[in-house]
């Protein structure tokens, strides 16, 4: 199921790159410069190998091969979300064709804050309307699009299942990052 979400995410990126009005018609010809995808992620490269591999695999499934017909500029914040805005601004200065922010609400918000012109593709579990990424689900508007994994509303169901598995449990502790944009819903 996770691979399917990644595939859907990569398909969105491929479509955004190919249809981007910022990607000139000349870039679609055989002899033109290679389009560049910006990849913005809050983690560290060493621990993000799985998501990067899935990203590259998805690119390949949509006909893109890094170094052959597309370039990728990777930016990692090394677990310091305060750096994401600076990294997003750097991708904008480099005039990438699209910015991918897989699995990261803070990255998507930083990218949105950096540009209103370059397409941004996200995959998140936070409500994108509630955090201000898009105006609404049916009319997102702007330059931001992506996949909302609808996981935030499942906590009650998860606790119900946990109660069924351990009916005698009187107390259940939950660790939540208070700086996460959707922390209160968790």
């Amino acid at each position: 199921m996770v691979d399917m979400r990644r595939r859907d995410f990569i398909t969105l990126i491929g479509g955004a790159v190919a249809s981007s009005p910022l990607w000139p018609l000349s870039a679609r010809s055989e002899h033109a410069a290679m389009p560049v995808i910006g990849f913005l992620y809050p983690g560290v490269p060493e621990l993000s190998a799985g998501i990067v591999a899935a990203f590259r695999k998805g690119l390949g499934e949509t006909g893109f091969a890094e170094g052959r017909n597309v370039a990728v500029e990777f930016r990692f914040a090394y677990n310091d979300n305060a750096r994401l805005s600076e990294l997003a601004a750097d991708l904008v200065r480099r005039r990438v064709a699209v910015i991918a922010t897989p699995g990261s609400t803070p990255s998507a918000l930083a990218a949105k804050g950096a540009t209103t012109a370059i397409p941004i593709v996200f995959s998140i579990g936070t409500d994108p309307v509630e955090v201000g990424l898009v105006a609404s689900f049916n009319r997102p508007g702007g330059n931001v699009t992506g996949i909302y994994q609808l996981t935030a509303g499942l906590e009650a169901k998860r606790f119900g299942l946990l109660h069924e598995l351990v009916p005698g449990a009187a107390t259940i502790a939950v660790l939540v990052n208070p700086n996460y944009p959707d922390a209160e819903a968790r």
Side-chain angles (χ1 to χ4, degrees), residues 16-81:
V17 169
S19 64
S20 171
L22 299 172
W23 188 8
L25 290 175
S26 62
R28 297 178 190 152
S29 71
E30 248 178 80
H31 305 293
M34 216 180 292
V36 179
I37 296 172
F39 182 98
L40 183 60
Y41 197 69
V44 297
E46 298 80 16
L47 299 176
S48 306
I51 198 151
V52 170
F55 178 79
R56 287 181 169 135
K57 182 178 183 226
L59 284 175
E61 290 172 357
T62 58
F64 292 98
E66 188 179 0
R68 184 171 49 90
N69 60 359
V70 70
V72 181
E73 290 276 339
F74 290 95
R75 297 293 182 275
F76 294 91
Y78 289 83
N79 297 322
D80 181 2
N81 285 353

Side-chain angles (χ1 to χ4, degrees), residues 109-123:
L109 289 168
K112 181 179 180 185
T115 181
T116 58
I118 297 172
I120 299 164
V121 181
F122 65 82
S123 170

Side-chain angles (χ1 to χ4, degrees), residues 63-162:
F64 292 98
E66 188 179 0
R68 184 171 49 90
N69 60 359
V70 70
V72 181
E73 290 276 339
F74 290 95
R75 297 293 182 275
F76 294 91
Y78 289 83
N79 297 322
D80 181 2
N81 285 353
R83 294 190 62 221
L84 289 168
S85 293
E86 166 194 336
L87 296 171
D90 181 53
L91 291 172
V92 171
R93 280 190 300 277
R94 293 180 183 272
R95 303 179 64 94
V96 296
V98 64
I99 299 174
T101 63
S104 170
T105 300
S107 294
L109 289 168
K112 181 179 180 185
T115 181
T116 58
I118 297 172
I120 299 164
V121 181
F122 65 82
S123 170
I124 59 175
T126 306
D127 182 336
V129 176
E130 189 173 306
V131 297
L133 277 174
V134 298
S136 70
F137 287 113
N138 52 341
R139 297 208 189 277
N143 61 318
V144 183
T145 190
I147 298 171
Y148 170 34
Q149 298 170 4
L150 295 171
T151 59
L154 298 177
E155 278 73 15
K157 183 67 173 173
R158 289 178 182 140
F159 281 119
L161 289 172
L162 183 59

